Amino acid sequence: LLKVLSRIDYILRSPRAPPLIFRPSKGPMQNYIKENGLGCGFEHLPLTVEMWADQLVALKDLHRSLRKLSLELLPWNTKDPQDNSESIRVEDLQLIVDAILEELEHKEKDSQTQSLQTLSAIVSHFQKLFDVNSLNGVYPRMNEVYTKLGEMTNAMKNLRELLELDSSAPPTVVVDTVGKLCDIINKNVTGQVQQLLGTQDIHSIINKLEEHECFFPPFQALIQDLLCLLEISNVDDILPAVQNLK
């Protein structure tokens, strides 16, 4: 037993041992043991061995957690020779961590490649939608589309305000409202023309226009002849000039 304890004590005092492993007792109790010759130099071993035992249990728990994480990230990798073993080594945990890191780096590279492919597909789709023949024309066309979109947005906003529509009204509602307003205006104009010509019948309107077309040219020629004979240039001067001839 003393040989085993000496071996453990030697390991604990070794420069390779972690600095927190070997902590010999201090204070009055240590002095009392030395003065009475009761100490054998191994009074610190039980606490250290207990800590080792706790660390070994924690090592198994850590291995189990890493295995779960590995199965989530690497479901195809089910091989683990230490999975059912009583002794878990730090090297086993390091292998699992290295495999997970390698897979994450591989996924990151694949993600960057997919991002480049996605961006290329987006640019190609934009070229097809807006008839852009080269990559150099993509940015100018984007600016043009942005400008046109801003103008259309402002126009739709102003139309909604003029037509007293809700700000969330879709463009189809705006177009329908403008169409109805145009119909109302056209009907009012037709009514005003009918009232001006003194008829409600479209055929009568046509007849009056035809009569006007027949009457106006001879009347205009007569007026021009009178202006020439009377040597005047204003239509309003015709009647005074005729009266002076009497």
Side-chain angles (χ1 to χ4, degrees), residues 38-51:
L38 300 176
C40 299
F42 307 116
E43 64 274 3
H44 61 282
L45 294 183
L47 294 177
T48 303
V49 173
E50 287 179 4
M51 185 183 68

Side-chain angles (χ1 to χ4, degrees), residues 13 19 22-34 43-44 47:
R13 296 175 185 272
F22 176 63
R23 287 185 178 179
S25 59
K26 298 179 180 180
M29 188 63 183
Q30 175 68 10
N31 296 332
Y32 174 80
I33 291 173
K34 288 182 178 180
E43 64 274 3
H44 61 282
L47 294 177

Side-chain angles (χ1 to χ4, degrees), residues 8 23 32 34 43 51 53 72 93 99 102 118 125 137 145 151 164 199 206 213 221 223 225:
I8 297 175
R23 287 185 178 179
Y32 174 80
K34 288 182 178 180
E43 64 274 3
M51 185 183 68
E72 289 290 334
L93 305 182
E102 184 178 357
T118 303
H125 188 61
V145 171
E151 292 176 354
E164 297 182 354
T199 178
I206 295 174
E213 186 177 358
I223 295 299
D225 292 339

Side-chain angles (χ1 to χ4, degrees), residues 33-80:
I33 291 173
K34 288 182 178 180
E35 290 173 358
N36 293 277
L38 300 176
C40 299
F42 307 116
E43 64 274 3
H44 61 282
L45 294 183
L47 294 177
T48 303
V49 173
E50 287 179 4
M51 185 183 68
W52 280 357
D54 293 338
Q55 292 297 315
L56 289 175
V57 173
L59 199 63
K60 292 180 181 180
D61 295 337
L62 178 59
H63 179 264
R64 191 179 301 109
S65 299
L66 286 176
R67 280 293 300 153
K68 290 181 180 179
L69 179 60
S70 177
L71 291 175
E72 289 290 334
L73 298 176
L74 314 171
W76 57 87
N77 186 14
T78 58
K79 183 179 179 181
D80 186 5

Side-chain angles (χ1 to χ4, degrees), residues 51-192:
M51 185 183 68
W52 280 357
D54 293 338
Q55 292 297 315
L56 289 175
V57 173
L59 199 63
K60 292 180 181 180
D61 295 337
L62 178 59
H63 179 264
R64 191 179 301 109
S65 299
L66 286 176
R67 280 293 300 153
K68 290 181 180 179
L69 179 60
S70 177
L71 291 175
E72 289 290 334
L73 298 176
L74 314 171
W76 57 87
N77 186 14
T78 58
K79 183 179 179 181
D80 186 5
Q82 296 293 335
D83 194 18
N84 297 320
S85 176
E86 291 295 331
S87 61
I88 303 298
R89 300 176 301 174
V90 175
E91 290 83 351
D92 302 327
L93 305 182
Q94 188 64 46
L95 287 175
I96 297 176
V97 172
D98 290 342
I100 293 174
L101 290 177
E102 184 178 357
E103 178 63 21
L104 291 177
E105 291 177 358
H106 182 68
K107 285 185 176 180
E108 184 178 357
K109 292 180 180 178
D110 289 345
S111 176
Q112 292 176 354
T113 303
Q114 292 176 0
S115 297
L116 292 175
Q117 293 176 350
T118 303
L119 289 175
S120 177
I122 292 174
V123 172
S124 298
H125 188 61
F126 181 88
Q127 287 181 269
K128 291 179 180 178
L129 287 178
F130 298 99
D131 193 23
V132 182
N133 297 325
S134 64
L135 291 177
N136 294 332
V138 171
Y139 281 112
R141 186 57 57 88
M142 281 185 175
N143 294 332
E144 181 182 351
V145 171
Y146 179 78
T147 302
K148 295 296 183 182
L149 179 61
E151 292 176 354
M152 185 191 70
T153 302
N154 291 333
M156 295 300 295
K157 179 181 178 181
N158 293 334
L159 284 174
R160 290 189 184 97
E161 292 178 354
L162 290 174
L163 298 173
E164 297 182 354
L165 295 175
D166 188 79
S167 59
S168 61
T172 53
V173 175
V174 176
V175 173
D176 291 341
T177 305
V178 172
K180 293 177 182 178
L181 183 61
C182 290
D183 291 339
I184 294 174
I185 293 174
N186 291 334
K187 290 179 180 178
N188 290 338
V189 170
T190 302
Q192 292 175 1

Side-chain angles (χ1 to χ4, degrees), residues 185-205:
I185 293 174
N186 291 334
K187 290 179 180 178
N188 290 338
V189 170
T190 302
Q192 292 175 1
V193 172
Q194 291 175 348
Q195 183 177 3
L196 178 63
L197 296 177
T199 178
Q200 301 296 324
D201 186 2
I202 189 64
H203 295 291
S204 299
I205 295 175

